[in-house]
Amino acid sequence: MNKSRWAPAWALIAGLLCAGGAMAAHPLQTEDTGTQGAGNVEFENGLSWARSDGAKVFVYQPQISYGVTPSFDLIVQPSWLRSRAAGGDTASGWGDTNLDGKWRFYGEAPLSLGIRAGATLATSQQGLGNPHGKTTAHAVLVATFDAAPFTVHGNVGMVQNPSGTGQRAHTVLVSSALMWAVTEQFILTADAGAQSNPDPARKSWPATLLGGVIYSATPSLDLDLGYQSSVRSTVATREWLMGITYRFAP
């Protein structure tokens, strides 16, 4: 296998997974303080199609959140990937798995604060994630300001990168998102984020811009679509995102 052909694909995969996976209400990348409530479950099916410099990556990243208490969720988030390098070589298999907890520790309308933190397990196949034997960590401080019909979310977080890969030991991420409830069923979204460069030789912060729409078909079922583009990144990336989210009480 020609490694030079795979370089853009590996860079694209790293860019998609380096922040510990998508952590928010799909298609947003910025987390919110919302929790499921004791005994309730949310099943989020997130799909993305990304391309960069001839390489293409498809990611299916489901997320199951279970409300342990009214303000605390347990979350499991596996991933499955299919990658095609610019030269046509392909690889597919399981990616890494996130195990997280999410705690809203303050809530006084219109402001709420929370934290989401956990570990990324190297469950990937064919090198589609962290090196085997490496467990990394991530944590995000979350703020939500709800002034209907507008809601603003802000994140500041840190991601531990796997050792022995030539990356910085830790990277810092910041992001913000705006949600506008146009009607009871349609929500327009905008999201912007940046992360310190995992390459220790580079000082620039790669960033992303995202726009999307969420349609609440029923109180328990959401459909969403989004488009994300990289900014100031060494690997320019364009990504379509689609999601189906279902909430229920078992």
Side-chain angles (χ1 to χ4, degrees):
M1 181 181 296
N2 189 336
K3 292 184 178 181
S4 63
R5 290 183 177 181
W6 277 99
W10 294 142
L12 181 53
I13 292 169
L16 294 175
L17 301 180
C18 66
M23 291 188 175
H26 216 267
L28 296 178
Q29 305 300 306
T30 301
E31 183 63 274
D32 58 70
T33 59
T35 52
Q36 304 309 311
N40 295 327
V41 177
E42 180 183 77
F43 183 29
E44 179 182 287
N45 293 274
L47 304 99
S48 70
W49 295 263
R51 62 186 306 160
S52 175
D53 196 22
K56 297 180 180 179
V57 176
F58 166 77
V59 180
Y60 171 53
Q61 194 166 40
Q63 174 175 286
I64 300 175
S65 301
Y66 175 74
V68 179
T69 72
S71 59
F72 182 77
D73 288 353
L74 288 178
I75 302 168
V76 59
Q77 187 186 49
S79 58
W80 189 90
L81 301 89
R82 179 176 176 81
S83 172
R84 185 175 70 82
D89 297 322
T90 63
S92 61
W94 291 105
D96 293 335
T97 300
N98 292 313
L99 296 179
D100 287 0
K102 181 180 175 182
W103 175 41
R104 185 178 63 255
F105 58 82
Y106 174 82
E108 190 69 35
L111 178 66
S112 56
L113 302 173
I115 187 169
R116 174 168 172 170
T120 299
L121 309 181
T123 57
S124 65
Q125 301 171 324
Q126 302 193 49
L128 297 172
N130 285 344
H132 283 185
K134 303 290 185 180
T135 297
T136 58
H138 50 265
V140 178
L141 182 64
V142 185
T144 293
F145 188 86
D146 189 357
F150 297 100
T151 304
V152 179
H153 310 295
N155 290 180
V156 177
M158 180 172 289
V159 178
Q160 177 191 2
N161 294 316
S163 59
T165 60
Q167 302 180 76
R168 297 181 192 274
H170 299 87
T171 51
V172 176
L173 59 89
V174 294
S175 67
S176 181
L178 172 66
M179 304 178 72
W180 175 26
V182 181
T183 69
E184 290 185 357
Q185 290 182 300
F186 281 96
I187 299 175
L188 297 180
T189 65
D191 193 302
Q195 183 170 349
S196 57
N197 205 311
D199 185 348
R202 298 180 180 274
K203 296 183 178 180
S204 62
W205 283 46
T208 57
L209 297 174
L210 181 149
V213 59
I214 300 173
Y215 171 64
S216 295
T218 71
S220 60
L221 178 65
D222 292 343
L223 309 175
D224 67 79
L225 182 67
Y227 180 76
Q228 180 170 273
S229 177
S230 65
V231 182
R232 298 197 314 272
S233 175
T234 54
V235 181
T237 304
R238 304 291 181 266
E239 182 179 5
W240 283 100
L241 304 102
M242 185 176 71
I244 302 172
T245 301
Y246 180 59
R247 291 172 290 274
F248 62 95

